[in-house]
Amino acid sequence: MDDYRGRLTKDGIRIYEEADFAGMHGAGRLAAEILDRIADEVVPGATTAHLDDLITKWVDEAGATSATVGYKGYQHASCISVNHVVCHGIPGDKVLKDGDILNIDVTVIVDGWYGDTSRMFVAGKLQRKAERLIQVTHDALMKGIEAARPGNTFGDIGYAIQSYVEANRMSVVRDFCGHGLGRVFHAPPNVLHYGRPDTGPVLEPGMFFTIEPMVNLGRPETKVLADDWTAVTRDKSLSAQFEHSLGITEGAPEIFTTSPAGRFHPTYSA
Ligand code: MF3
Ligand code: CO
Ligand code: CO
């Protein structure tokens, strides 16, 4: 949809106006509040379908719309990716057990604006290996956000994430990326979570996009299961992901999906 006001850069990236930040904050806040609420429901014995049912209900009660229901045939209000599932896990009859780690990813539409965020949760007691993975993945996202300033490039963001993850002897998934969003769900650019400094499009104030690194304890390769959605690590190693939606300003970026309850991280001490 290219009919929104404002302009596109030569790379096809939309530059939004100052007034548009408020719309994104509204959508981002709802998505973050839903993840705040779901935290208490993530317990051993719960099914991922139950968690998705609650999310569906809360989106509806807020008078908002789920961006994922009906998206390319997807039928749920969340993606729930457990243990070695990298992303796009489909909620179902899977029962959570003690020590499982999971990413829950929610995208809502409020007044036409898209809010997209995900974070990690744990059912029961967190194992030390998983705790390290979650910590490094969270911190990698924050390194990427720190690099998201005008004059820097998208390659700078990818480099910040990749170098941090690899210094911790973990790997960055290459097969999925972040994306522009705003009045649409997925727009240019592809926000890669790896890369080289000084490469790619230059950031400008008014760009809205997600950063959503997926990090594996083992190798980076993934494969998509026969359901055409569920992406898993090929080596069955644990995977984690955190996602924020943000807007570029003259200074530090505005994060649209900050947790009102301060529960983005650490999920495991809450
Ligand atoms: N929310 C995901 C993202 O971060 C996209 C999920 S699409 C779905 O971009 F169809 F799988 F839900
Ligand atoms: Co996203
Ligand atoms: Co998402």
Side-chain angles (χ1 to χ4, degrees), residues 68 71 74 79 88 105 107 116 179 185-186 212 229 243:
T68 56
Y71 177 78
Y74 195 79
C79 296
H88 301 165
D105 189 340
T107 310
D116 185 5
H179 49 93
F185 194 175
H186 291 114
E212 48 183 298
W229 283 105
E243 174 177 26

Side-chain angles (χ1 to χ4, degrees), residues 134-152:
I134 290 172
Q135 181 75 51
V136 168
T137 308
H138 172 274
D139 293 352
L141 167 59
M142 293 307 162
K143 301 272 181 202
I145 292 174
E146 280 168 30
R149 290 184 171 247
N152 282 359

Side-chain angles (χ1 to χ4, degrees), residues 4-235:
Y4 193 64
R5 67 184 187 215
R7 69 181 178 94
L8 298 177
T9 68
K10 66 175 167 52
D11 302 294
I13 303 169
R14 184 163 291 287
I15 303 301
Y16 287 94
E17 296 177 2
E18 205 141 303
D20 298 336
F21 280 73
M24 290 300 284
H25 274 291
R29 185 181 315 110
L30 176 63
E33 280 168 354
I34 287 171
L35 293 184
D36 285 347
R37 282 180 78 178
I38 206 70
D40 296 323
E41 312 291 337
V42 178
V43 292
T47 66
T48 55
H50 171 67
L51 300 177
D52 185 70
D53 286 345
L54 290 170
I55 291 168
T56 300
K57 188 170 76 145
W58 297 338
V59 171
D60 189 59
E61 284 172 1
T65 306
S66 166
T68 56
V69 175
Y71 177 78
K72 294 185 177 172
Y74 195 79
Q75 293 177 1
H76 304 272
S78 63
C79 296
I80 304 185
S81 303
V82 183
N83 294 337
H84 74 297
V85 179
V86 173
C87 63
H88 301 165
I90 302 175
D93 53 16
K94 183 182 178 59
V95 178
L96 296 177
K97 59 182 194 317
D98 188 51
D100 281 347
I101 62 165
L102 49 150
N103 175 278
I104 305 182
D105 189 340
V106 170
T107 310
V108 296
I109 312 169
V110 177
D111 298 333
W113 297 100
Y114 285 68
D116 185 5
T117 184
S118 79
R119 58 178 95 143
M120 295 303 293
F121 300 84
V122 58
K125 185 172 158 37
L126 186 63
Q127 303 295 307
R128 193 183 301 273
K129 248 183 10 181
E131 178 171 350
R132 246 195 92 233
L133 171 67
I134 290 172
Q135 181 75 51
V136 168
T137 308
H138 172 274
D139 293 352
L141 167 59
M142 293 307 162
K143 301 272 181 202
I145 292 174
E146 280 168 30
R149 290 184 171 247
N152 282 359
T153 67
F154 281 93
D156 292 332
I157 294 176
Y159 177 77
I161 294 167
Q162 181 184 11
S163 56
Y164 181 75
V165 168
E166 292 178 354
N168 283 282
R169 295 176 310 282
M170 298 178 193
S171 66
V172 173
V173 169
R174 313 290 204 267
D175 300 335
F176 301 92
C177 58
H179 49 93
L181 84 173
R183 302 292 288 178
V184 291
F185 194 175
H186 291 114
N190 287 332
V191 181
L192 305 184
H193 304 113
Y194 60 95
R196 283 174 293 123
D198 288 325
T199 62
V202 176
L203 275 69
E204 294 180 42
M207 289 180 175
F208 295 166
F209 56 88
T210 73
I211 306 179
E212 48 183 298
M214 286 139 276
V215 174
N216 299 345
L217 274 184
R219 294 193 49 81
E221 291 81 12
T222 71
K223 67 174 178 192
V224 175
L225 301 185
D227 61 21
D228 278 345
W229 283 105
T230 311
V232 300
T233 54
R234 282 196 176 262
D235 65 5

